[in-house]
């Protein structure tokens, strides 16, 4: 499935610098390759025409299912790419309704191949586009390979009159690329509808909800690691995986990939082989699926994690007033809840970590000099309730039917026996029922895999019915960035601020009020020795923050 994405963020220096691996673009002023914002363009610097046009290009996927190649200097289409600079990503899709297939993240660009994936509508129906991942020639746009995660032969390219697999697991979040290994790392989702899996075949489960590693030049499988088995909670991999080289206990350098999961687990894998570097043993989880479905007996639990250390109790229920807290406790006892991975139910299940996840598409920021990772986990429970499909309730979408486009409210799940309602677990006045904090900024030591510090981030100023700025720690969409000087920058919170923190201890160094929600990942660059930080303040419709169309730059003090 897909999660809602941020508006396009400020385009970075890759377009001007000729960066070939453009997801994400790093900067000499930064100690990290911060996660690229969703919907951002990628850049390439491969000659296309002898007359000098399109020597540097912007490769721009848009949400009607097309990818455009533009001259970075003029904005003109690259005539030698696709159909006059236009690549139709809807080709051979089983359904081509506009808006049902959306490439929400930048493609990975190598010196040979453009690797493109995309999002589909969550929980809408069993007749949706494929989650196929494709590789196109970086110069001409010619299709070089395909990897359809739901097909018996994932590399089979459909012939005339054929199409890719309906509803195969998709990859909507940003991917990462290791040029030395020529491997692209793709965070995978689950076959939609997400909250019921009684109709899933082994082929449709094989590459669902995990990290998929493909050889970028050929599209052949390198390895796959599944982070949730038979996913019934929309616990798809929401974040760009982060590549880093770490020193193990024997002093050896190990190339790893960090995989932040909605479950709060941080999976650490050898990026050459997919083998676990940090243990993630299989542990029993609650059983008892809805009629016609089943639940995996175990799930992997990483030793490096932000997941809750204990199950919620009624003592964890919270409210702005005593009445509010009482209602939250009553609702808590009415729901099914047996801890992490409580199955969806007709009774209504408390899902914690919630469907929004502890980690979202912002990902991690790695400080390679200090060997630490910066994370911003969320702690917001959700409630899911299955709705039996009764007489007169169609299994197939009716003409003009559309999904909600959000992760809240009634989801029709056409084609399966149940619809579902998904909502944050909120009090009657619209505040989370779980006691604060609901969002943190934190640092992890990559040498010991221990959390060094964790602090609340964000206030209720822009989301409370009463405009009072309680520092409760707020839910977030967007990621952190850390500079070589040891300063973390992050927007993301449900209040409209960009903040800076000391990476060593979490002390807040600075903050600035934004004119709209900062649901984006900041970036940094330097010009003539002066360093800048830029963020797109566009807000987020489904997140409820103030909308805008701002791109704002701040200058760091001169040294």
């Amino acid at each position: 499935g897909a999660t809602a994405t941020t508006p396009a963020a400020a385009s970075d220096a890759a377009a001007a610098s000729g960066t070939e691996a453009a997801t994400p673009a790093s900067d000499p002023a930064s100690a990290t390759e911060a996660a690229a914002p969703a919907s951002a363009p990628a850049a390439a610097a491969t000659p296309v025409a002898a007359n000098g046009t399109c020597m540097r290009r912007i490769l721009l996927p848009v949400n009607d299912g097309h990818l455009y190649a533009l001259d970075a200097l003029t904005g003109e289409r690259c005539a030698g790419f696709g159909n006059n600079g236009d690549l139709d990503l809807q080709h051979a899709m089983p359904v081509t309704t506009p808006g049902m297939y959306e490439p929400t993240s930048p493609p990975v660009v190598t010196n040979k191949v453009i690797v493109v994936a995309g999002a589909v509508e969550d929980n809408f129906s069993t007749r949706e586009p494929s989650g196929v991942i494709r590789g196109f020639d970086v110069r001409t746009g010619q299709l070089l390979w395909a990897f359809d995660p739901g097909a018996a032969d994932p590399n089979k390219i459909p012939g005339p009159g054929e199409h890719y697999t309906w509803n195969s697991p998709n990859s909507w979040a940003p991917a990462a690329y290791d040029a030395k290994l020529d491997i692209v790392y793709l965070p995978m989702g689950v076959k939609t509808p997400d909250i019921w899996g009684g109709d899933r075949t082994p082929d449709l489960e094989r590459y669902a909800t995990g990290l998929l590693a493909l050889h970028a030049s050929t599209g052949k499988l390198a390895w796959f690691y599944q982070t949730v088995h038979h996913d019934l909670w929309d616990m798809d991999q929401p974040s760009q995986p982060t590549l880093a080289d770490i020193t193990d206990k024997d002093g050896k350098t190990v190339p790893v990939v960090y995989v932040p999961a909605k479950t709060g687990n941080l999976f650490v894998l050898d990026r050459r082989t997919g083998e676990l570097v940090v243990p993630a043993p299989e542990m029993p989880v609650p059983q008892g699926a809805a009629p016609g479905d089943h639940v995996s007996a175990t799930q992997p639990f990483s030793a490096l994690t932000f997941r809750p250390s204990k199950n919620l109790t009624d003592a964890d229920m919270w409210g702005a007033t005593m009445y509010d807290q009482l209602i939250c406790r009553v609702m808590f006892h009415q729901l099914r809840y047996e801890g992490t991975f409580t199955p969806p139910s007709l009774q209504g299940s408390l899902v914690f970590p919630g469907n929004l996840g502890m980690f979202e598409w912002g990902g991690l920021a790695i400080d390679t000099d200090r060997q630490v990772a910066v994370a911003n986990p969320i702690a917001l429970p959700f409630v899911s309730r299955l709705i039996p499909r009764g007489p007169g309730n169609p299994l197939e979408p009716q003409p003009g039917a559309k999904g909600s486009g959000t992760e809240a409210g009634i989801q029709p799940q056409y084609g399966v026996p149940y619809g579902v309602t998904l909502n944050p677990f909120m009090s009657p006045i619209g505040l989370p029922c779980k006691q604060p904090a609901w969002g943190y900024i934190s640092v992890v030591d990559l040498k010991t895999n221990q959390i060094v510090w964790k602090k609340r981030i964000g206030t209720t100023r822009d989301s409370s019915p009463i405009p009072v700025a309680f520092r409760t720690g707020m839910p977030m969409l967007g990621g952190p960035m850390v500079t070589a000087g040891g300063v973390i920058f992050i927007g993301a919170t449900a209040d409209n601020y960009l903040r800076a923190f000391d990476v060593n201890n979490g002390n807040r160094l600075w903050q600035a009020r934004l004119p709209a929600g900062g649901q984006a990942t900041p970036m940094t660059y330097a010009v003539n020795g002066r360093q800048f930080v830029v963020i797109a303040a566009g807000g987020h419709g489904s997140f409820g923050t103030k909308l805008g169309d701002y791109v704002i730059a701040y200058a760091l003090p001169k040294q």
Side-chain angles (χ1 to χ4, degrees), residues 236-253:
D236 48 5
Q237 284 305 128
S239 304
Q240 182 182 48
T242 301
L243 311 184
D245 293 338
I246 62 171
T247 304
D248 66 13
K249 61 181 184 302
D250 300 321
K252 295 180 180 178
T253 300

Side-chain angles (χ1 to χ4, degrees), residues 58 66 153 174 185 200 232 331 378 389 391 401 462 488 534:
I58 295 170
H66 287 254
D153 177 4
Y185 303 90
R200 297 178 194 164
L232 301 177
M331 292 192 297
I378 310 166
R389 194 172 299 284
D462 296 305
I488 300 165
V534 172

